[in-house]
Amino acid sequence: FKAPQETASEIYLNEEELRQIRALELSSEKYSLALTRDLFMIGAYSGLRVSDYNNLSKDNIQMHTGLKMLEVRCQKTKSVVDIPLHRVIKSIIKKYGGSLPPSQNEQLMNRNLKALGRLAGMCGDVVVETTKGGVLTTCKRPKYEMIKTHTARRSFCTNAYLSGMDTLDIMALSGHKTETNFNKYIKVSAKER
């Protein structure tokens, strides 16, 4: 018996949308939002799952042939991935005095990400399709309502793909084991392709 599967209506954030979130001026009273943003950016520029990017420590920063990298044993697959530090991640590490941001509750992060998306002006509609009882229904939701912790990983994979990076290289960084699973992460429209 094989259970029927439905393709999820998921989004990714392109480089401009990620830049808009990074550019938000968040006061010290909005520390929770700033922490969420920093953790999310680490995920968006590393390809790690939330369970991995939300639990990084200074011990994960390693030097390899003169290059700073994140060395992470993925919680889900137990495989080790080595990820060169993107300039955005380097700036976050500098902000936290040479370390990585502390972890944050995932439910709070998801709530904060929606607020960050709204503050960044991501109000365009996204068509959401769901099937219940064999009936396909569609509705529109503002893009900011669709942002969640896993959007960081989808954003990394899709943006790397759009930049021309080889699929096998992206998979090596993101820790995907099969191309079939990896392809589910690429959220490229026909126009973008």
Side-chain angles (χ1 to χ4, degrees), residues 107-123:
Q107 186 177 9
L108 174 61
M109 285 182 73
N110 281 324
R111 194 168 42 248
N112 284 348
L113 285 168
K114 288 161 183 43
L116 289 166
R118 190 175 54 253
L119 288 170
M122 294 177 201
C123 298

Side-chain angles (χ1 to χ4, degrees), residues 89-102:
I89 298 175
K90 287 179 182 177
S91 69
I92 292 169
I93 290 170
K94 184 177 180 182
K95 176 181 173 181
Y96 287 87
S99 193
L100 288 144

Side-chain angles (χ1 to χ4, degrees), residues 46-162:
S46 69
L48 292 170
R49 290 173 187 87
V50 64
S51 57
D52 297 320
Y53 74 72
N54 197 16
N55 290 303
L56 294 172
S57 71
K58 197 171 186 172
D59 296 338
N60 295 107
I61 303 170
Q62 301 291 322
M63 289 296 286
H64 179 67
T65 61
L67 184 67
K68 277 189 177 180
M69 303 182 86
L70 285 176
E71 184 178 287
V72 182
R73 178 171 298 279
C74 297
Q75 211 172 38
K76 183 176 179 180
T77 63
K78 306 299 182 226
S79 62
V80 175
V81 293
D82 294 300
I83 304 162
L85 291 181
H86 187 277
R87 63 178 173 72
V88 171
I89 298 175
K90 287 179 182 177
S91 69
I92 292 169
I93 290 170
K94 184 177 180 182
K95 176 181 173 181
Y96 287 87
S99 193
L100 288 144
S103 63
Q104 192 175 43
N105 174 282
E106 191 174 343
Q107 186 177 9
L108 174 61
M109 285 182 73
N110 281 324
R111 194 168 42 248
N112 284 348
L113 285 168
K114 288 161 183 43
L116 289 166
R118 190 175 54 253
L119 288 170
M122 294 177 201
C123 298
D125 287 334
V126 174
V127 176
V128 179
E129 295 181 340
T130 54
T131 306
K132 289 185 181 177
V135 178
L136 177 69
T137 59
T138 60
C139 67
K140 291 182 179 180
R141 291 176 59 190
K143 189 167 190 174
Y144 70 83
E145 285 184 6
M146 302 289 293
I147 303 171
K148 52 189 175 184
T149 55
H150 205 66
T151 305
R153 185 166 164 83
R154 286 187 192 285
S155 299
F156 171 81
C157 292
T158 304
N159 289 327
Y161 176 82
L162 289 172

Side-chain angles (χ1 to χ4, degrees), residues 15-64:
E15 287 293 337
E16 176 58 23
E17 291 167 326
L18 292 172
R19 188 201 62 70
Q20 289 171 335
I21 291 175
R22 285 196 321 269
L24 289 173
E25 290 292 329
L26 300 172
S27 63
S28 58
E29 295 88 48
K30 296 185 179 178
Y31 173 77
S32 180
L33 287 176
L35 177 58
T36 298
R37 175 183 56 193
D38 293 341
L39 289 166
F40 183 81
M41 288 303 151
I42 290 171
Y45 289 100
S46 69
L48 292 170
R49 290 173 187 87
V50 64
S51 57
D52 297 320
Y53 74 72
N54 197 16
N55 290 303
L56 294 172
S57 71
K58 197 171 186 172
D59 296 338
N60 295 107
I61 303 170
Q62 301 291 322
M63 289 296 286
H64 179 67

